[in-house]
Amino acid sequence: MKEAVFPAASQGEQDEEGAPLVTPATEQEITEEGGAPCKDGAAAPVAARAGRTLSSLGAVLRMRGVGSVMVGLVFLALLLGARRWIDLDASSLLGSKVNIGAGERRRHHSGNTTAPLVPIPFTCGNKTSRQPPKCPGIPAPPPSMTLAVPDDPAASCPDYFRYIHDDLRPWRGAGITREVVERARPHAFFRLVVVDGRAYVETYRRAYQIRDVFTQWGILQLIRRYPGRLPDLDLMFACDDPGQVRAADFPKPSEAPPVFRYCKDGSTLDIVFPDWSFWGWPEVGIRPWTQMLEEVRQENERVRWPERQPYAFWKGNPEGYRIRHKLLRCNVSNGKEWNARIFTQNWHHAIKNGFKDSRIPKQCVYRYKVYVEGNAWSVSEKYIMACDSPVLFITTPFQDILSRGLVAGKHYWPINREHVCKSIKFAVDWGNKHPEQAQLMGEQGSRFVREEMSMDYIYDYMLHLLTEYAKLLRYKPTVPEKAVEICTESIACPAQGLHRECMMNSMERHVVGFNPCTLPPPFTKEEAKEIADREAEVLRKVERMEG
């Protein structure tokens, strides 16, 4: 889950229209802990968002000012199915050995995992030719693969997959016509069409840095990973930050244009898709997600949590973001210790030295990490979560696939944006006095991004989302006249430097020998109300403890 956003000037849009490759206001969101923001869309009132759709539930806790977390910390465990809240009094954990994550581990996939791996050919052909290589055929799936058992609970996808149903709900009844898709063109950076397992792209405008190319790259790897599984589809993708399709503009939701993008808020109807940085962000030295996780894991082993500096850490560029300027005040000032170490990133210097002073793993030397948005959602979220340190989230309404699965008090510690420094000081003081519980929270948050956000699940999320979307199309997709075919070879072979390296490191080289996880059903209205009511009750408890 995330928290409430106060975006400032829309620097992201300007950058995407052709500003220099690296600018202080945008790159900061990247290696502040490794991510870029989304932008803002006005936040809906808490009560209204809690009662609307399930996708808004995660924003309830994030939107409200959640003060200092109580002395008797409420750990919230969001379980599969009906979900239950588990209250753990702080004293119940002190002095006892905690079985961290017991019963939470999930078998990623089911099916015939002993089937031989089927390699996928990759060649760039004649290196002297200036012509892009031709796209090869799509390999067939192994005949030995078996279907996942539908009622096998171990084969079920993580609970946040249920938001796929919520994102597509506006078009469930009437379906999606070609006219409705065309209506999304003003928002889109590119149009992606898949016909008979082959992908085609029509580009409308240039995205900032590598967002569009690496998003397309991710979809191409999905096709390689699960050949023959992706149905024909036709979609519009927006590579800018904030949700733009306002629900209030469409009294009849089915008439809203379906726009895929990296995040949304409770007032928009955009369809959330994994961001490009899962396959790397070469402009700022960020490697593919699996590689970054391993680097962070090694750093976590090198500096264990009890030996880390007992403060909250954040590094980034605050210019243009009011909430980040608020955060700057949390450094030691006028003799006041707020338990925070906040650093301003000099991006010109960082670029010159190859981001050596901003490497994500090296930022895991503090006991607490601060997450704060820039324009909105930030890619930094997953990297911050991976450090085994409790994450202090400054509230924001923006939702991405990761934030929808997080539980306040279990995976992160909510920080009230109305009095940021006071909330951070209380959280750090509490954690340092209750190290076992604080360490547990850090490990649970880290475990979530490692296991529930593994690339296995990222690809499964994409497959299920695109499959469910394709079911709603009321026409047969055809290749647009101006579209060009794309494939792994056509993108990777011309690439150079770190761009090429990221692609090689994130390339799917074998057809998987197992089935994707099973998509769980939508949330029921009763589940939605139960979760919203319980989140609201937690907010009241926390606010009472703050006084």
Side-chain angles (χ1 to χ4, degrees):
M1 297 192 164
K2 297 181 88 144
E3 282 99 296
V5 164
F6 281 35
S10 167
Q11 177 125 19
E13 289 183 0
Q14 181 180 2
D15 294 333
E16 292 154 1
E17 291 300 326
L21 186 64
V22 177
T23 61
T26 41
E27 290 249 293
Q28 144 253 348
E29 283 117 36
I30 302 160
T31 45
E32 66 189 53
E33 329 246 355
C38 202
K39 242 182 264 181
D40 161 70
V46 176
R49 293 193 297 119
R52 277 167 63 177
T53 62
L54 238 298
S55 66
S56 304
L57 294 176
V60 178
L61 190 54
R62 300 174 250 153
M63 261 303 282
R64 295 279 297 271
V66 184
S68 314
V69 179
M70 57 292 231
V71 173
L73 177 64
V74 179
F75 282 107
L76 306 178
L78 196 56
L79 303 182
L80 291 177
R83 296 191 185 182
R84 295 181 297 114
W85 299 107
I86 299 178
D87 295 338
L88 299 179
D89 183 85
S91 61
S92 69
L93 293 179
L94 290 175
S96 62
K97 181 71 174 178
V98 179
N99 185 11
I100 297 173
E104 292 183 2
R105 300 194 180 278
R106 178 196 307 275
R107 180 156 54 91
H108 285 206
H109 296 83
S110 66
N112 186 359
T113 58
T114 63
L117 292 176
V118 178
I120 306 172
F122 172 80
T123 178
C124 289
N126 186 355
K127 296 182 179 180
T128 62
S129 174
R130 294 185 178 182
Q131 297 297 322
K134 292 184 178 180
C135 292
I138 306 298
S144 57
M145 285 181 66
T146 60
L147 293 176
V149 182
D151 60 353
D152 179 3
S156 179
C157 302
D159 223 23
Y160 66 85
F161 278 58
R162 302 175 80 180
Y163 291 103
I164 289 175
H165 305 290
D166 199 49
D167 280 352
L168 298 178
R169 184 173 291 120
W171 304 278
R172 282 293 181 199
I176 299 173
T177 64
R178 192 185 302 272
E179 178 186 2
V180 170
V181 170
E182 293 283 356
R183 200 175 296 156
R185 181 167 179 168
H187 300 280
F189 283 66
F190 65 85
R191 183 176 193 163
L192 176 83
V193 175
V194 175
V195 175
D196 295 331
R198 307 182 78 94
Y200 305 84
V201 165
E202 182 177 7
T203 301
Y204 299 133
R205 49 183 168 142
R206 188 176 74 87
Y208 176 62
Q209 293 185 342
I210 205 71
R211 294 184 179 197
D212 51 352
V213 174
F214 269 43
T215 298
Q216 295 163 17
W217 173 263
I219 296 173
L220 292 172
Q221 301 320 299
L222 172 68
I223 294 175
R224 285 167 68 90
R225 178 184 178 88
Y226 289 127
R229 297 243 183 171
L230 198 62
D232 290 359
L233 56 87
D234 181 6
L235 63 86
M236 297 286 191
F237 206 104
C239 299
D240 50 353
D241 295 328
Q244 297 288 342
V245 183
R246 302 289 169 194
D249 296 336
F250 299 95
K252 191 174 181 180
S254 62
E255 295 180 353
V259 178
F260 286 73
R261 69 166 22 97
Y262 311 119
C263 78
K264 66 186 296 183
D265 63 42
S267 68
T268 63
L269 298 177
D270 302 83
I271 301 169
V272 178
F273 197 82
D275 73 78
W276 72 98
S277 68
F278 281 102
W279 297 272
W281 194 338
E283 287 88 351
V284 294
I286 292 181
R287 311 282 175 166
W289 177 229
T290 301
Q291 188 176 349
M292 289 302 304
L293 275 177
E294 176 57 23
E295 292 181 15
V296 172
R297 184 196 65 78
Q298 293 177 12
E299 188 65 16
N300 289 343
E301 292 290 328
R302 189 181 72 84
V303 185
R304 296 289 187 173
W305 190 83
E307 285 74 46
R308 297 179 186 181
Q309 298 185 44
Y311 303 106
F313 170 89
W314 180 83
K315 185 175 184 179
N317 180 2
E319 294 306 317
Y321 308 102
R322 284 185 290 166
I323 187 62
R324 291 184 173 182
H325 277 283
K326 268 190 176 184
L327 183 59
L328 283 181
R329 300 171 194 165
C330 301
N331 275 319
V332 178
S333 58
N334 298 324
K336 184 67 174 178
E337 173 63 77
W338 295 109
N339 295 336
R341 299 296 181 262
I342 311 301
F343 299 90
T344 298
Q345 174 77 304
N346 183 321
W347 285 104
H348 296 292
H349 173 72
I351 295 167
K352 283 184 178 180
N353 74 357
F355 301 99
K356 293 178 181 178
D357 298 331
S358 302
R359 291 188 61 245
I360 293 168
K362 296 301 180 183
Q363 297 181 10
C364 296
V365 296
Y366 289 83
R367 285 189 188 173
Y368 309 91
K369 302 292 291 297
V370 177
Y371 172 81
V372 59
E373 81 282 348
N375 286 322
W377 148 88
S378 173
V379 167
S380 66
E381 182 183 43
K382 57 182 174 288
Y383 306 107
I384 295 174
M385 295 290 302
C387 271
D388 280 356
S389 293
V391 175
L392 312 185
F393 268 83
I394 301 176
T395 52
T396 179
F398 294 95
Q399 307 166 26
D400 63 294
I401 65 166
L402 193 164
S403 67
R404 286 168 159 179
L406 298 180
V407 182
K410 177 183 179 182
H411 298 126
Y412 72 90
W413 186 295
I415 296 297
N416 188 332
R417 70 182 302 112
E418 298 305 317
H419 42 80
V420 173
C421 300
K422 177 183 174 183
S423 289
I424 288 176
K425 176 173 172 53
F426 183 91
V428 173
D429 280 342
W430 190 94
N432 288 338
K433 291 176 182 177
H434 304 88
E436 189 168 350
Q437 293 96 306
Q439 187 172 359
L440 171 62
M441 180 182 293
E443 290 174 345
Q444 288 182 147
S446 183
R447 179 174 297 108
F448 180 86
V449 297
R450 290 177 182 280
E451 297 182 1
E452 306 294 285
M453 284 288 153
S454 68
M455 286 307 297
D456 279 344
Y457 281 135
I458 295 302
Y459 282 121
D460 285 5
Y461 188 96
M462 294 162 59
L463 179 63
H464 283 304
L465 173 60
L466 295 177
T467 300
E468 293 300 308
Y469 171 81
K471 291 177 182 178
L472 300 176
L473 296 179
R474 296 295 182 259
Y475 63 97
K476 181 174 176 56
T478 55
V479 180
E481 182 180 350
K482 297 181 180 180
V484 296
E485 184 175 7
I486 61 170
C487 58
T488 295
E489 289 79 3
S490 69
I491 292 183
C493 292
Q496 298 178 352
L498 190 55
H499 290 74
R500 175 71 176 268
E501 185 178 333
C502 284
M503 291 176 183
M504 292 298 100
N505 288 338
S506 62
M507 182 188 298
E508 291 292 303
R509 301 182 182 277
H510 296 88
V511 174
V512 295
F514 47 77
N515 288 283
C517 61
T518 303
L519 181 64
F523 291 106
T524 65
K525 291 182 180 179
E526 292 73 21
E527 287 173 330
K529 184 178 186 305
E530 180 182 2
I531 297 169
D533 289 347
R534 287 176 177 175
E535 286 191 344
E537 176 58 25
V538 170
L539 287 174
R540 288 191 290 269
K541 287 182 181 180
V542 171
E543 290 171 351
R544 286 197 297 267
M545 293 305 300
E546 183 187 38

